Amino acid sequence: MEFFNREKEIQDLLNMIRQEPNLITFIYGPINSGKTSLMLEVIKRLPREYVAFYIDLRGYAVTRREEFLKVLFETYDEETFRKKVYNILRGVENFHKAIPILKHIWKEFFKIEEVSDAFKHVENFLQELYNKGLKPIIIFDELQVIKDIRINNFLIYRLFNFFVRLSKVLHICHVFAITSDSTFIERIYNEAMLQGRSRYYLVDDFDKETVEKILKEKGFSDEEIDIVWRYFGGKPIYLVEAIQAKRVGKDVKELCEEFYRLRRRQVLDLLYKLEEENKNLFDRVTKFLKGFETRDKIKYKRISKELSWLINNNILFLDPANEIIKPQSHLELLAIRNILKEFKP
Ligand SMILES: Nc1ncnc2c1ncn2[C@@H]1O[C@H](COP(=O)(O)OP(=O)(O)OP(=O)(O)O)[C@@H](O)[C@H]1O
Ligand SMILES: [Mg+2]
């Protein structure tokens, strides 16, 4: 699959990585804006001395400490472990989806009802790489998956402490955490223990100029570009769909409308259900949505019940750093505007 643009974002992130590790970087943005793809592209472009550990929590039902340890580590027997470490140190293998560990050590961690030893082990491992002249980077994708796990305290806070230690205290490892969960990023943004220790990097959908450039190169007419922008905005995943559709001779407008009808239906169903279950909240939600009748984003004040409902149902996206609330994509914006007419008394 071809990778579009993102030069600015790639350079921004590479610049952060070139500096000595200091802050934890939280990468956030609307759903499907291309956060994961971007990070993987950045990793591809890293010079040889960097070693990336990309830990993807998506797709795993990580609800307990044991499951977290399974995702965090990959176990090896003595011989394969030695080979693995040898290859890492030679700079041959510089992309990993877990921290390599000897099986018997991992089993010990598994028995103890704690995570401190496991974190200490990761720290020692990264420190060793650092001492050998390598530059480790650790990335947690879909970090919100573990937000509710408790081990004495919430695991997420233990992890934040650990991140602060790796970056700000020891300066041995860059730490990135990716999430598309707006309420989670809002919580993190206001988290006292992260003040002055973290930064927030927004990966948004493409802007109009970029969309025009991408689609022009793919042979889209001005009219087709207008339609795609109106329905899909700069959401990479939809642009990919539009390009593929055009390639096989499908009508672009038809595709846009198909997606729109589906999304409108989904949003409408959610609202009907809410109306049945909680009329008061429903009224608040529709009132809130009226803010989008003439605007495509509104200023964020606080997380009210209705806003929380709209965010949790993936209709709206909240950007705490820029204090903005907007629909997850143009499809939602169009759906909201259309549905509001339906609900007018
Ligand atoms: N720069 C890009 N060039 C081409 N396609 C892209 C690009 N960015 C994203 N995509 C496409 O959009 C899809 C979604 O992107 P990705 O999974 O990176 O988004 P995300 O922001 O991580 O999503 P989520 O919110 O679900 O975590 C990808 O599978 C890919 O097809
Ligand atoms: Mg992702």
Side-chain angles (χ1 to χ4, degrees):
M1 186 71 214
E2 183 188 359
F3 188 78
F4 307 132
N5 194 275
R6 292 292 187 206
E7 254 343 285
K8 180 186 178 295
E9 287 87 344
I10 291 172
Q11 290 313 322
D12 285 347
L13 294 170
L14 286 175
N15 283 338
M16 289 176 197
I17 293 170
R18 274 187 209 113
Q19 295 160 14
E20 182 180 59
N22 203 3
L23 299 171
I24 305 165
T25 309
F26 287 97
I27 296 187
Y28 72 105
I31 290 165
N32 277 323
S33 67
K35 300 174 287 299
T36 300
S37 309
L38 170 66
M39 202 62 220
L40 294 176
E41 185 67 23
V42 168
I43 293 172
K44 265 195 225 157
R45 298 208 197 172
L46 288 173
R48 221 180 137 106
E49 69 266 29
Y50 287 91
V51 192
F53 298 92
Y54 169 78
I55 293 147
D56 189 5
L57 297 165
R58 165 169 289 184
Y60 297 95
V62 187
T63 53
R64 296 183 309 139
R65 182 190 61 99
E66 291 82 349
E67 285 145 359
F68 177 69
L69 291 178
K70 276 187 196 162
V71 184
L72 182 60
F73 293 108
E74 180 160 24
T75 59
Y76 293 89
D77 62 30
E78 299 267 352
E79 202 189 322
T80 45
F81 182 75
R82 224 174 308 131
K83 260 191 221 154
K84 184 97 189 161
V85 173
Y86 178 72
N87 281 340
I88 294 176
L89 293 178
R90 276 169 61 224
V92 180
E93 284 185 43
N94 50 15
F95 179 76
H96 305 267
K97 297 200 98 173
I99 307 282
I101 191 173
L102 281 165
K103 194 160 198 141
H104 69 266
I105 298 180
W106 181 80
K107 278 189 175 158
E108 285 305 309
F109 296 157
F110 222 76
K111 277 188 230 154
I112 319 160
E113 284 294 315
E114 249 304 320
V115 280
S116 333
D117 290 354
F119 286 163
K120 189 71 200 156
H121 184 86
V122 177
E123 181 187 317
N124 292 343
F125 179 74
L126 297 171
Q127 181 78 58
E128 198 185 317
L129 299 184
Y130 179 80
N131 293 346
K132 294 266 162 57
L134 291 166
K135 295 176 173 169
I137 298 180
I138 193 160
I139 301 132
F140 281 84
D141 203 345
E142 301 289 328
L143 187 67
Q144 78 280 354
V145 165
I146 60 161
K147 69 182 172 197
D148 296 324
I149 304 182
R150 275 172 186 273
I151 314 161
N152 301 329
N153 206 324
F154 280 111
L155 171 62
I156 197 92
Y157 293 118
R158 311 286 295 272
L159 200 57
F160 286 159
N161 265 323
F162 179 55
F163 289 168
V164 170
R165 187 164 164 77
L166 292 178
S167 51
K168 194 182 127 92
V169 179
L170 300 169
H171 308 287
I172 55 170
C173 179
H174 284 282
V175 181
F176 290 89
I178 312 176
T179 182
S180 48
D181 181 327
S182 296
T183 33
F184 180 66
I185 200 77
E186 199 269 348
R187 209 176 100 194
I188 288 174
Y189 193 75
N190 292 308
E191 175 54 56
M193 71 174 286
L194 291 170
Q195 300 301 323
R197 294 158 170 176
S198 53
R199 69 182 145 210
Y200 301 84
Y201 192 80
L202 172 67
V203 177
D204 212 340
D205 298 343
F206 291 123
D207 60 17
K208 193 169 181 200
E209 207 186 317
T210 309
V211 172
E212 280 170 357
K213 196 166 153 270
I214 293 171
L215 295 182
K216 254 203 181 103
E217 269 169 30
K218 298 288 170 192
F220 281 59
S221 68
D222 288 347
E223 195 192 340
E224 285 172 328
I225 293 174
D226 276 351
I227 291 166
V228 171
W229 175 255
R230 177 146 39 91
Y231 282 87
F232 292 164
K235 188 74 75 193
I237 197 163
Y238 296 146
L239 298 184
V240 172
E241 285 297 318
I243 291 166
Q244 278 169 357
K246 187 168 168 67
R247 198 171 289 149
V248 297
K250 194 171 166 156
D251 185 66
V252 172
K253 182 152 199 232
E254 236 167 65
L255 175 91
C256 289
E257 280 174 355
E258 254 171 50
F259 271 83
Y260 167 67
R261 272 198 300 276
L262 179 69
R263 193 61 192 127
R264 180 186 164 279
R265 189 67 245 170
Q266 288 167 338
V267 175
L268 197 56
D269 286 344
L270 283 167
L271 286 168
Y272 277 138
K273 193 158 165 266
L274 181 66
E275 191 179 23
E276 292 249 307
E277 288 169 0
N278 188 342
K279 180 72 171 77
N280 178 271
L281 185 58
F282 169 83
D283 288 340
R284 288 169 64 170
V285 163
T286 44
K287 188 165 170 237
F288 192 92
L289 287 178
K290 285 207 171 75
F292 294 104
E293 261 174 343
T294 48
R295 288 167 292 181
D296 49 15
K297 50 180 161 236
I298 57 179
K299 195 156 167 57
Y300 163 62
K301 292 195 201 86
R302 64 185 177 92
I303 295 213
S304 55
K305 265 198 170 159
E306 56 273 28
L307 177 56
S308 174
W309 185 89
L310 284 159
I311 291 172
N312 291 335
N313 283 289
N314 287 337
I315 297 168
L316 298 183
F317 163 68
L318 162 68
D319 174 352
N322 294 302
E323 296 180 287
I324 275 170
I325 303 158
K326 60 180 187 177
Q328 285 284 357
S329 80
H330 276 201
L331 288 181
E332 281 80 8
L333 180 64
L334 291 177
I336 290 167
R337 286 181 178 166
N338 177 279
I339 289 168
L340 284 177
K341 284 187 214 143
E342 191 132 332
F343 283 125
K344 276 239 166 87

